[in-house]
């Protein structure tokens, strides 16, 4: 992107008068490129990429720093199954997560289409709802889920959720022939993160975002420190997840383990969750015949390979979903730690010249667009305030 | 009555012990612990790869509550496993208190009495203050006392079921036959009324986790359990009335002719 184009875009973004004031003042303490504010984003995970895209789209001059490789992100975003499930998550989290999730789902619908048209490649966003099933002896788990959801949504939940008998269940998801009961959650979706993240990267390249891989940084107000020294910016956004653990109070890693299996014998059409009193499992089908199976949740900042026990639990639960999964091949195991705050809520901290976004926990794809939207707003206000 | 709970030479005001697992978040866990008024909290190292100290962040957060920590050996199936985890917990949490679990059945997480007694004997020898999670079997309980346990924690029902006191007869027997031993009902309590029931029966305390952690409002439920345990204990101390077949009005019925009152009295 050339400077002139960026300036025009940014000019239309800020009220004209304000922009003039802003640029006048900014000459004193910050480095600007043809009057276009320069923003540093630290952390090339989902949050960092989305923000880099959204802000560069507004005409801001973006530099994205990533400690590892952008082609194979080291963060939880690469490990995740990419579910966007505001309803399922509401049962064990705050109502705010649900509201942000609903907003994200709406944004994904537009953003996925836009990213696909910009890149010419699919991101496989799907809003086909999701299914909850339980075996006969654990049927009360479904009622419990229903009850908790009704409690959290305080009222009528029939718009969100439909109870299915065996026939309805099979019609919706033929592979689930061993189940007598299920719940269909309408407002849920998922996105193929292994397609989305490379697509975002190529769109960032197209938009002229400056990409600095293998560059670990420390973030400060108006300043990013790296091996080669310090760089000045109009604002720094720290999205480093666990990489920012010393800067975010109470930030901890919550270990998650995932299996990826491949089979032609059984195919799901949408994310399915199996409810069990002790083991939780979700299975998210991909277009290439693979299914992502997850996920454990262990209170430990432990990146070591998947344990035998977790492998057994996940595969036993998967086998109980459909016996044909027994012959599926385990093509990949993934382990990562989710960055979480002590209240398991997303964290946005803002001070002049510095924003920190963190704590997306197990809700990366559920929350990132809605949070990106909030951050966009904060950045605009910050830049306006300088004026 | 404000008689304190005495366990291994330490005195506590609260008779409610709570677990720290399954909460929606650590912050809600800590708030719930506060609301419960508990002074003893259990926690588990299991699956956290403790050698690497990678769960430290959360452990420190729990430690900050100021409560007596009661590390458990949840999920251990053999004495050897339980002893190894106990040693690790003692080192990490700097306490020799231990809730000993040796599980004999995977599905209902029923204690294995043989493994439990064997592990308890060894852990007492190693200087642990062992609080064994056991069934309500009198003989098993006696053996645990024989090997040096000073506190017993019989189940009300299997872990996480919320079924309450499934075998009142066995529990009553334990209470009557072991009158001086601190007995804590551990596991199976689903509702505050069940906790109150255990306390009314004369049990010394109640330990629970799921009923609070999985409530839609854990903090409020923690408070409900605190009140229930206090109510049950007060009722036990105050002396419960015996059940009667015939109604006896608590207010004298002045408008009723006295000979009719006499009639009812004679029928008693």
């Amino acid at each position: 992107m050339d400077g002139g184009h960026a300036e025009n875009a940014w000019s239309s973004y800020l009220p004209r008068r304000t922009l003039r004031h802003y640029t006048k003042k900014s000459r004193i303490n910050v480095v600007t490129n043809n009057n276009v504010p320069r923003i540093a984003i630290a952390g090339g995970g989902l949050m960092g990429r989305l923000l880099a895209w959204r802000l560069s789209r507004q005409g801001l001059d973006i530099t994205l720093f990533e400690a590892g490789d952008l082609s194979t992100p080291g963060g939880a975003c690469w490990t995740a199954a990419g579910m966007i499930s505001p309803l399922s998550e509401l049962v064990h989290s705050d109502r705010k997560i649900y509201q942000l999730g609903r907003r994200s789902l709406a944004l994904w619908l537009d953003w996925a289409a836009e990213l696909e048209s910009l890149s010419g490649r699919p991101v496989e966003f799907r809003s086909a709802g999701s299914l909850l099933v339980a075996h006969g002896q654990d049927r009360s788990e479904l009622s419990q889920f229903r009850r908790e959801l009704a409690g959290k949504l305080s009222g009528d939940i029939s718009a969100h959720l439909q109870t299915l008998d065996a026939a309805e269940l099979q019609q919706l998801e033929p592979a689930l022939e061993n189940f007598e009961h299920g719940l269909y959650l309408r407002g849920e979706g998922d996105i193929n993160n292994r397609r989305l993240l490379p697509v975002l990267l190529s769109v960032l390249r197209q938009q002229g975002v400056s990409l600095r891989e293998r560059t670990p940084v420390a973030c400060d107000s108006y300043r990013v420190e790296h091996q080669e020294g310090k760089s000045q910016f109009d604002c720094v956004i720290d999205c480093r997840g666990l990489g920012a653990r010393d800067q975010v109070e109470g930030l901890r890693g919550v270990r998650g383990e995932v299996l990826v299996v491949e089979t032609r014998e059984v195919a799901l059409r949408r994310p399915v969750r199996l409810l069990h009193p002790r083991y939780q499992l979700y299975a998210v089908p991909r277009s290439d015949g693979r299914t992502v199976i997850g996920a454990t949740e262990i209170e430990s900042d432990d990146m070591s390979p998947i344990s035998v026990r977790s492998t057994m639990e996940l595969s036993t639960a998967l086998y109980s979903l459909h016996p044909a999964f027994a012959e599926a091949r385990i093509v990949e195991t993934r382990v990562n730690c989710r960055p979480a705050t002590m209240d398991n809520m997303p964290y946005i901290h803002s001070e002049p010249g510095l924003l920190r976004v963190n704590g997306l926990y197990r809700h990366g794809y559920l929350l990132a667009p809605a949070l990106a939207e909030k951050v966009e707003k904060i950045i605009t206000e910050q830049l306006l305030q300088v004026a | 009555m404000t008689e304190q709970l005495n366990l291994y030479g330490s005195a506590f005001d609260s008779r409610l012990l709570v677990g720290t697992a399954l909460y929606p978040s650590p912050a809600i866990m800590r708030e719930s612990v506060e609301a419960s008024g508990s002074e003893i909290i259990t926690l588990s190292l299991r699956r956290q790869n403790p050698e690497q100290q990678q769960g430290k962040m959360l452990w420190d957060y729990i430690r900050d509550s100021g409560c007596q920590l009661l590390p458990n050996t949840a999920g251990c199936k053999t004495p050897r496993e339980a002893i190894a985890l106990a040693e690790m917990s003692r080192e990490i949490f700097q306490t020799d208190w231990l809730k000993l679990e040796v599980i004999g059945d995977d599905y209902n997480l029923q204690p294995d009495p043989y493994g439990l007694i064997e592990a308890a004997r060894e852990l007492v020898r190693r200087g642990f203050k062992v609080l064994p999670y056991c069934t309500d079997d009198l003989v098993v309980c006696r053996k645990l006392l024989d090997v040096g346990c000073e506190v017993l924690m019989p189940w009300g029902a299997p872990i996480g079921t919320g079924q309450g006191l499934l075998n009142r007869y066995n529990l009553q027997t334990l209470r009557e036959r072991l009158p001086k031993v601190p007995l804590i009902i551990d596991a199976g309590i689903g509702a505050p009324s069940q906790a109150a029931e255990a306390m009314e029966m004369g049990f010394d305390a109640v330990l629970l986790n799921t009923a609070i952690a999985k409530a839609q409002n854990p903090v409020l439920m923690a408070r409900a359990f605190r009140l229930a345990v206090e109510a049950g204990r007060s009722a036990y101390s105050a002396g419960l009335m015996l059940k009667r077949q015939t109604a006896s009005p608590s207010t004298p019925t002045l408008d009723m002719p006295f000979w009719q009152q006499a009639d009812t009295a004679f029928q008693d």
Side-chain angles (χ1 to χ4, degrees):
Chain A
M1 178 186 285
D2 64 340
H5 175 66
E7 190 181 6
N8 288 343
W10 177 239
S11 305
S12 61
Y13 183 58
L14 283 180
R16 220 178 158 66
R17 199 164 48 89
T18 322
L19 177 68
R20 204 164 49 238
H21 282 264
Y22 166 71
T23 50
K24 209 175 188 178
K25 175 133 189 186
S26 67
R27 247 175 249 138
I28 305 162
N29 57 359
V30 293
V31 192
T32 56
N33 166 25
N34 295 328
N35 297 334
V36 177
R38 297 182 65 227
I39 310 288
I41 295 175
L46 174 63
M47 199 67 229
R49 282 174 206 223
L50 273 185
L51 276 173
W53 174 48
R54 300 308 297 175
L55 295 174
S56 69
R57 197 174 167 275
Q58 304 289 4
L60 296 171
D61 180 347
I62 309 293
T63 307
L64 178 66
F65 294 93
E66 162 60 41
D69 289 323
L70 284 165
S71 56
T72 51
C77 63
W78 197 240
T79 314
M83 276 190 297
I84 307 152
S85 38
L87 290 163
S88 313
E89 292 302 322
L90 176 61
V91 167
H92 29 85
S93 58
D94 197 276
R95 210 184 140 86
K96 276 183 221 130
I97 299 284
Y98 167 73
Q99 286 155 344
L100 288 168
R102 294 264 294 195
R103 179 67 193 145
S104 290
L105 203 57
L107 290 171
W108 276 127
L109 193 68
D110 294 342
W111 292 9
E114 189 175 337
L115 287 168
E116 285 181 346
S117 85
L118 284 170
S119 67
R121 280 149 56 187
V123 298
E124 292 177 12
F125 170 72
R126 172 169 57 190
S127 54
S130 75
L131 277 168
L132 297 182
V133 290
H135 291 289
Q137 71 271 25
D138 305 324
R139 211 183 135 189
S140 64
E141 299 291 318
L142 290 175
S143 333
Q144 175 77 10
F145 181 92
R146 242 196 111 92
R147 220 183 69 184
E148 285 178 17
L149 200 63
K152 293 259 179 159
L153 290 174
S154 52
D156 187 22
I157 52 170
S158 56
H160 303 288
L161 170 157
Q162 184 188 345
T163 305
L164 306 174
D165 63 22
E168 292 165 323
L169 185 59
Q170 253 206 68
Q171 196 182 3
L172 210 57
E173 201 67 64
L176 297 177
E177 54 201 324
N178 297 331
F179 290 86
E180 299 290 323
H181 313 276
L183 292 176
Y184 176 56
L185 304 179
R186 286 193 189 85
E188 302 215 322
D190 66 293
I191 195 160
N192 187 343
N193 52 331
R194 296 277 168 124
R195 295 216 188 274
L196 171 76
L197 292 166
V199 161
L200 271 167
L201 185 60
S202 77
V203 169
L204 296 185
R205 284 208 175 93
Q206 270 177 37
Q207 298 203 344
V209 168
S210 154
L211 302 169
R212 305 277 306 269
E213 287 183 275
R214 289 180 289 280
T215 311
V217 294
C219 299
D220 223 325
S221 288
Y222 303 111
R223 203 175 62 209
V224 164
E225 257 181 77
H226 42 82
Q227 295 119 325
E228 295 140 42
K230 294 172 186 169
S231 310
Q232 291 286 119
F233 290 92
D234 294 78
C235 188
V236 176
I237 310 175
D238 182 358
C239 316
R240 290 173 299 154
L242 287 172
R245 88 182 70 216
D246 297 333
Q247 278 74 49
V248 178
E249 204 205 325
L251 193 71
R252 71 192 203 285
V254 181
R255 176 176 163 95
E257 296 152 303
V258 167
L259 299 178
V260 183
V261 303
E262 190 173 59
T263 177
R264 286 171 190 280
E265 293 192 30
V266 49
L268 298 169
R269 294 172 174 174
R270 54 174 65 68
V272 173
R273 287 178 197 249
L274 175 69
L275 299 185
H276 181 277
R278 248 172 286 151
Y279 311 118
Q280 307 292 328
L281 172 113
Y282 59 72
V284 182
R286 297 287 187 234
S287 58
D288 55 4
R290 295 184 171 195
T291 308
V292 183
I293 312 300
T296 56
E297 185 150 348
I298 298 168
E299 281 291 349
S300 181
D301 208 334
D302 171 11
M303 297 283 278
S304 62
I306 190 168
S307 70
V308 171
R309 183 198 179 103
S310 298
T311 313
M312 274 168 51
E313 283 180 6
L314 291 173
S315 35
T316 306
L318 178 66
Y319 174 70
S320 83
L321 213 53
H322 197 290
F325 275 118
E327 283 304 316
R329 297 298 185 257
I330 299 174
V331 291
E332 190 187 345
T333 64
R334 304 177 185 168
V335 174
N336 220 316
C337 287
R338 313 164 175 99
T341 58
M342 284 298 173
D343 61 4
N344 288 345
M345 294 293 283
Y347 171 92
I348 298 182
H349 165 86
S350 146
E351 61 184 87
L354 178 68
L355 257 104
R356 296 192 201 274
V357 190
N358 215 314
L360 273 70
Y361 181 42
R362 50 183 281 159
H363 302 133
Y365 292 86
L366 182 66
L367 301 183
L371 294 178
E373 196 180 46
K374 278 185 192 294
V375 169
E376 257 186 89
K377 208 169 147 226
I378 296 171
I379 290 276
T380 313
E381 278 164 11
Q382 266 206 15
L383 296 177
L384 286 171
Q385 255 171 20
V386 177
Chain B
M1 292 273 281
T2 53
E3 184 199 344
Q4 286 186 308
L5 171 69
N6 271 290
L7 305 174
Y8 284 105
S10 301
F12 301 92
D13 290 320
S14 165
R15 290 175 178 271
L16 175 59
L17 291 75
V18 296
T20 53
L22 305 174
Y23 286 88
S25 73
I28 292 176
M29 180 265 291
R30 206 155 81 173
E31 217 185 313
S32 303
V33 168
E34 274 168 35
S36 76
S38 293
E39 294 164 290
I40 306 173
I41 55 179
T42 66
L43 73 175
S44 170
L45 280 183
R46 186 83 182 162
R47 300 187 82 167
Q48 296 186 357
N49 208 354
E51 298 92 333
Q52 312 296 320
Q53 299 259 328
Q54 280 147 330
K56 196 171 177 302
M57 188 81 208
L58 187 69
W59 303 336
D60 289 345
Y61 190 73
I62 294 174
R63 214 192 313 251
D64 285 350
S65 68
C67 293
Q68 168 69 51
L69 298 184
L70 182 59
N72 67 37
T73 59
C76 289
K77 288 182 183 159
T78 63
R80 186 193 292 262
E81 241 183 313
I83 291 164
L85 192 58
E87 288 287 4
M88 220 179 293
S89 300
R90 175 156 70 177
E91 199 182 310
I92 288 171
F93 299 118
Q94 300 286 304
T95 176
D96 45 16
W97 285 55
L98 182 77
K99 171 179 163 177
L100 178 62
E101 279 185 41
V102 181
I103 297 304
D105 183 87
D106 251 349
Y107 208 79
N108 65 358
L109 302 176
Q110 179 162 346
D112 165 9
Y114 306 100
L116 189 64
I117 293 163
E118 188 188 329
R121 178 182 287 121
E122 177 59 20
L123 288 165
V124 168
R125 199 186 64 77
R126 296 188 188 194
F128 282 90
K129 295 179 168 124
V130 179
L131 292 85
Y133 165 59
C134 53
T135 51
D136 50 21
D137 185 285
L138 176 64
V139 180
V140 170
C141 286
R142 275 216 196 111
K143 298 270 183 203
L144 286 165
L145 296 172
D146 290 346
V147 301
C149 296
E150 292 180 22
V151 180
L152 298 176
M153 304 209 291
W155 69 358
I159 298 175
T161 58
Q163 302 261 359
L165 309 179
L166 280 185
N167 195 331
R168 273 185 65 101
Y169 173 81
N170 273 11
L171 291 171
Q172 195 69 58
T173 306
L174 282 186
R175 184 67 289 176
E176 282 165 14
R177 299 292 294 277
L178 307 170
K180 298 234 165 73
V181 179
L183 295 178
I184 300 170
I185 297 293
D186 181 1
I189 299 288
S193 55
Q194 297 162 350
E197 185 188 358
M199 297 308 293
E200 286 170 7
M201 287 172 73
F203 287 96
D204 295 275
V206 165
L207 192 162
L208 56 106
N209 188 169
T210 313
I212 293 176
K214 289 293 201 184
Q216 285 182 34
N217 183 339
V219 179
L220 189 58
M221 189 58 88
R223 183 169 176 273
F225 272 102
R226 175 170 65 79
L227 296 173
V229 167
E230 281 174 16
R233 180 63 187 180
S234 297
Y236 172 72
S237 303
L240 287 160
M241 64 173 281
L242 294 176
K243 285 182 184 169
R244 286 196 193 127
Q245 200 55 43
T246 313
S248 68
S250 47
T251 320
T253 42
L254 292 174
D255 58 336
M256 197 186 280
F258 67 89
W259 59 89
Q260 282 192 18
Q261 283 193 19
D263 270 358
T264 43
F266 285 135
Q267 281 165 12
D268 243 55

